[in-house]
Amino acid sequence: MTSIMRRIADLFRLKVGKALDRAEDPREVLDYSYEKQLDLVQKVRRGLADVATSRKRIELQLTQLTQSSTKLEDQARQALATGREDLAREALSRRAAVTSQITDLQAQQVSLQAEEEKLTLASQRLQEKVDAFRTRKETIKASYTAAEAQTRISEAVTGISEEMGDIGTAMQRAQDKTEQLQDRAGALDELMASGALEDATLPAGRDDIQAQLDAASEGHDIEADLARMKAQLSAGPADAPALGTGRPATAPGERPATS
């Protein structure tokens, strides 16, 4: 019985080990293993109950055979008292057969009693192991849950989790794109400053040379207007034209023309 239990335990550990390697969540495998061990305990208890039932049945048969032996012995005495030795002999012969059955049943009773005691001890030891496994299972599950939570927190803090990794990649791509656009804008400014590219905001048909000529001409007109105004002020108020109109100033006593 002990060797069978050891083989079952070894086979069970081997299967559990392989299942743990394949499982994504070892907590489910541990719960499954615990359920299997409970089933094994129930099987041992049912076997123990069957042995105890057989022992009880043998004890009942022994009681009946003992009563029959006593009755045959009484019948043998009564037969001898009445002078029926033949009946007494027959009763004793039957009593001998009953005694032989009682001897065999008593041997079976002793064997079943010993088997029952072994099963009782094995059931108690198995139950202790299952209880210890349950305690260790819950401890491992709690440790695994804590480690899993710690891992997720660490991944979130360091940004190496799948979700945070995607966010980090998106941020890096946005930063790279921004730097590329900044580099492109700087290169275009340099090309426009060097004249390699035209400014699209200028009127059609004008280039940078024409723009510089126009700017120089506007500056020249301003200088000419300033010189003309200075000459008019030096010539006197009668000859000075109104500013901005180009007409001569109004003479003293003359009413200004109305428009």
Side-chain angles (χ1 to χ4, degrees), residues 21-183:
D21 293 337
R22 295 193 300 268
E24 294 182 358
D25 190 346
R27 292 169 295 190
E28 297 179 358
V29 177
L30 290 174
D31 289 336
Y32 177 77
S33 301
Y34 179 66
E35 294 296 330
K36 287 296 182 182
Q37 292 186 44
L38 290 180
D39 291 341
L40 183 60
V41 171
Q42 292 298 325
K43 290 180 180 178
V44 172
R45 288 179 177 175
R46 282 196 293 270
L48 178 60
D50 292 339
V51 172
T53 300
S54 298
R55 179 178 56 80
K56 287 290 185 182
R57 187 179 297 113
I58 288 178
E59 288 177 354
L60 179 61
Q61 291 178 358
L62 283 174
T63 301
Q64 293 174 351
L65 289 175
T66 301
Q67 292 173 354
S68 178
S69 175
T70 302
K71 182 179 179 180
L72 289 171
E73 186 175 355
D74 293 340
Q75 288 176 347
R77 287 194 182 95
Q78 291 176 7
L80 286 177
T82 58
R84 295 290 303 272
E85 184 176 349
D86 56 335
L87 287 179
R89 192 179 299 278
E90 179 63 22
L92 291 177
S93 176
R94 293 180 183 181
R95 178 178 174 275
V98 170
T99 301
S100 177
Q101 293 180 11
I102 290 175
T103 302
D104 293 340
L105 288 178
Q106 285 177 343
Q108 294 181 20
Q109 182 189 19
V110 172
S111 177
L112 288 176
Q113 183 69 35
E115 190 68 22
E116 185 178 352
E117 291 176 357
K118 290 180 180 178
L119 286 175
T120 301
L121 182 60
S123 177
Q124 293 174 352
R125 290 178 177 176
L126 182 59
Q127 184 63 52
E128 292 175 356
K129 290 184 178 179
V130 171
D131 293 340
F133 178 82
R134 182 186 60 187
T135 302
R136 187 179 180 186
K137 172 180 72 73
E138 296 300 328
T139 303
I140 293 175
K141 286 175 62 179
S143 300
Y144 183 87
T145 302
E148 188 179 48
Q150 183 64 37
T151 301
R152 289 179 178 175
I153 293 173
S154 300
E155 289 179 349
V157 172
T158 57
I160 60 175
S161 64
E162 184 177 356
E163 294 80 3
M164 296 301 293
D166 294 340
I167 294 174
T169 302
M171 293 179 63
Q172 184 63 42
R173 291 179 59 186
Q175 185 175 357
D176 294 342
K177 191 70 175 179
T178 301
E179 292 177 354
Q180 290 177 1
L181 291 176
Q182 290 175 347
D183 293 342

Side-chain angles (χ1 to χ4, degrees), residues 213-239:
L213 291 175
D214 292 344
S217 176
E218 291 177 356
H220 180 72
D221 292 342
I222 293 173
E223 293 299 331
D225 288 340
L226 288 174
R228 180 175 52 80
M229 292 175 67
K230 289 179 180 179
Q232 290 175 351
L233 291 174
S234 299
D239 298 333

